[in-house]
Amino acid sequence: MFLNKTLKGLLSVFKNYKSYHADLKKFKNSSKKTNIRFSKRYNFYPILTDKTSITNIEPHYTYHPAWAARILAQTKPIKHVDISSTLTFCTLVSAFVPFEFYDYRPANLHLSNLKSEHADLTQLHFDSNSISSLSCMHTLEHVGLGRYGDPIDYDGDLKAMSELKRVLAEGGDLLVVFPIGKPVIEYNAHRIYSYEQVLLHFEPLELIEFSLIPDDHVNVGIIKNATKEQSDAQNWGCGCFWFKKTKI
């Protein structure tokens, strides 16, 4: 099995390089028919895997920031606070909403409307009930596993979840995103949670919306208002949860 995969991989590399050199020859010939605008000496930088019939995407990180941005467009917060989500979310949304981004490894970002500083999810420095619009997406599953230099702690994720609930203001919105499916720890990459685990860990917050990026995402993208049954059927789905704090 391993030998077959290796041979197939080598064959694919050979075919890609053959195609690369054929295209290079065509490109050089095409340059003879026009004005030369660059040096005739090329710097070679082969990119061999992008000749696809469709544009490939990473479904979790393509769809979940889009899901969250659409919710913020609906809720129209005066300010939004995010803890350690993908940087594309804060850099884009801060063009429209005053944004504070915090990470255990602070990001050196310099954009208008965007503040970027350090925070420890297990010991947030914010006052209780102080943040009305908050997100923490595809992050909690890592806390305590040491992958990003944070302290090793089996219950690090639970401590982080408690902190998010503590700092969320009454009436405030919390957006959290997790790998969803059969509960398991894949050390030291991440944890995968069940739908029921997430609801349990975020009690007593009210679930406003659950959307799902399923394993079979190609034809459906993201399923809005997905069911527990759909969530339970996943191996490596992406669960998007919108909670609201209705009581203190």
Side-chain angles (χ1 to χ4, degrees):
M1 178 70 92
F2 175 76
L3 182 60
N4 287 339
K5 286 186 176 180
T6 301
L7 291 174
K8 286 181 180 179
L10 290 173
L11 181 60
S12 177
V13 170
F14 174 77
K15 288 181 177 179
N16 287 340
Y17 263 106
K18 187 176 180 180
S19 174
Y20 169 80
H21 285 292
D23 284 350
L24 177 60
K25 184 177 180 180
K26 290 178 184 176
F27 186 76
K28 287 182 176 179
N29 287 335
S30 73
S31 70
K32 298 174 183 177
K33 303 174 184 179
T34 187
N35 296 324
I36 301 300
R37 294 177 288 113
F38 301 92
S39 168
K40 290 185 178 181
R41 181 178 178 180
Y42 298 161
N43 294 332
F44 297 109
Y45 194 147
I47 304 294
L48 305 178
T49 58
D50 286 347
K51 277 191 176 183
T52 57
S53 59
I54 61 173
T55 298
N56 293 320
I57 67 169
E58 199 297 313
H60 287 212
Y61 283 88
T62 299
Y63 285 115
H64 90 251
W67 166 81
R70 281 159 173 75
I71 290 175
L72 293 188
Q74 178 181 337
T75 59
K76 296 180 172 60
I78 296 173
K79 179 182 73 173
H80 185 75
V81 175
D82 178 85
I83 316 291
S84 300
S85 302
T86 181
L87 293 181
T88 53
F89 180 60
C90 70
T91 53
L92 291 175
V93 174
S94 61
F96 310 99
V97 178
F99 208 107
E100 293 183 8
F101 173 79
Y102 298 90
D103 198 292
Y104 191 78
R105 307 168 304 159
N108 190 20
L109 295 171
H110 303 282
L111 288 168
S112 61
N113 235 22
L114 175 59
K115 174 183 177 182
S116 177
E117 293 185 356
H118 166 84
D120 181 347
L121 253 173
T122 64
Q123 302 177 72
L124 292 174
H125 59 277
F126 307 111
D127 292 336
S128 298
N129 307 305
S130 63
I131 302 174
S132 60
S133 186
L134 179 63
S135 59
C136 184
M137 303 186 296
H138 244 316
T139 298
L140 291 160
E141 67 268 21
H142 305 299
V143 180
L145 301 184
R147 175 176 170 179
Y148 296 107
D150 53 312
I152 299 295
D153 186 343
Y154 187 90
D155 289 332
D157 58 335
L158 298 183
K159 293 174 182 176
M161 293 177 201
S162 293
E163 281 293 271
L164 291 173
K165 291 190 291 183
R166 178 184 67 81
V167 303
L168 185 65
E170 184 174 10
D173 297 298
L174 171 63
L175 307 179
V176 288
V177 171
F178 299 90
I180 206 88
K182 281 72 175 175
V184 67
I185 294 176
E186 297 183 331
Y187 189 82
N188 67 346
H190 48 247
R191 303 170 181 86
I192 299 175
Y193 299 84
S194 70
Y195 176 86
E196 287 181 332
Q197 280 181 319
V198 176
L199 294 191
L200 175 65
H201 295 331
F202 280 93
E203 288 182 347
L205 301 186
E206 177 187 356
L207 179 65
I208 303 299
E209 179 185 312
F210 168 63
S211 292
L212 174 68
I213 302 158
D215 295 336
D216 182 20
H217 63 89
V218 174
N219 295 319
V220 298
I222 185 167
I223 303 170
K224 190 171 182 179
N225 297 316
T227 65
K228 173 186 177 300
E229 290 70 28
Q230 288 173 312
S231 176
D232 291 345
Q234 307 307 311
N235 291 311
W236 174 245
C238 183
C240 304
F241 297 81
W242 175 8
F243 289 107
K244 185 176 285 286
K245 193 174 196 177
T246 55
K247 294 180 180 179
I248 295 180

